[in-house]
Amino acid sequence: MRTRRALVAVMAALSFPIIAASPVAAAPPIEEPAALWTVPTAETRDFSLLIAFSFGNRIPEGVDPQRTVGDPGPVNEALAAATVAARAGRDIPVYAQTEIASVLRTEYGLRDVVSIDPTRADDGTLVYLSTDGVAAEVAARRGPAAASDVAGVVAFQDHLWRAVYTSRARGFTAFAPREVPMPSEYDPQSGQPWTTSRERYLPTDYAGRVPVLARLFGLGPR
């Protein structure tokens, strides 16, 4: 029965047209959205920390993208601005992927941000840091505190559902910030081809939702 419910949830989450945006609910933090594919939100004052997921980058000319993170680019600059807005002047921890963390430090003077960086293989090439990899790293750094954290998740609008629910699958009580709009304009010059347009990104995102749903329903590895 549990398997059947999980499969139904997976099909429901994937049943919308591939060009549809993930809507944002306006439910209080103690309530769950009526539809699983809806992004749960909470007010910024409820967050005990922020997790900011990057989206794309810019690769300077002549740079090896296999060995260089690249420049943040306009989308990650917008995500950094959203992170500052979601912090709302409060002194709460911020965990941000490299591209966002660099903007927070250089443009906003946020020196205490914790940068979540990719690792390197033995040959020096970058090991891609997935959405789940980011959430797992933040959970590991938080340790037992993760169980009582209320995480505000900052992510590109079309990535927001997966970022929130991946954070939940890693043990956080996670929401998108209700008062802060997320960036939604794609960068055609992004160094990550799947992040250059909606048509190229959404198939990747919807495929990535399946293992998240499986873990949420207790059917996958944790």
Side-chain angles (χ1 to χ4, degrees), residues 12-141:
L14 299 179
S15 63
F16 280 81
I18 202 67
I19 60 171
S22 296
V24 177
I30 59 172
E31 294 184 7
E32 292 300 319
L36 182 59
W37 54 85
T38 301
V39 179
T41 67
E43 295 184 4
T44 57
R45 66 187 181 191
D46 296 315
F47 301 145
S48 59
L49 80 157
L50 297 176
I51 307 173
F53 294 83
S54 65
F55 195 83
N57 59 17
R58 284 284 183 91
I59 302 298
E61 186 176 354
V63 169
D64 183 358
Q66 301 298 318
R67 296 177 180 274
T68 305
V69 173
D71 296 332
V75 176
N76 288 307
E77 290 172 357
L79 287 166
T83 302
V84 172
R87 201 182 195 198
R90 299 169 59 224
D91 186 18
I92 58 175
V94 175
Y95 297 82
Q97 278 190 263
T98 310
E99 297 88 344
I100 299 173
S102 66
V103 178
L104 290 173
R105 289 168 175 163
T106 58
E107 299 296 325
Y108 296 94
L110 189 61
R111 300 303 174 190
D112 57 346
V113 60
V114 179
S115 184
I116 306 299
D117 306 320
T119 59
R120 292 186 181 272
D122 291 340
D123 63 358
T125 57
L126 293 169
V127 177
Y128 178 73
L129 188 57
S130 66
T131 300
D132 183 59
V134 173
E137 177 64 20
V138 177
R141 290 174 182 252

Side-chain angles (χ1 to χ4, degrees), residues 1-15 36-37 161 209-220 222:
M1 181 63 71
R2 185 178 64 177
T3 301
R4 179 179 297 177
R5 287 198 301 268
L7 291 175
V8 169
V10 170
M11 294 306 296
L14 299 179
S15 63
L36 182 59
W37 54 85
W161 186 99
R209 295 185 184 199
V210 175
V212 176
L213 287 164
R215 285 210 311 274
L216 288 169
F217 281 87
L219 300 176
R222 291 186 175 272

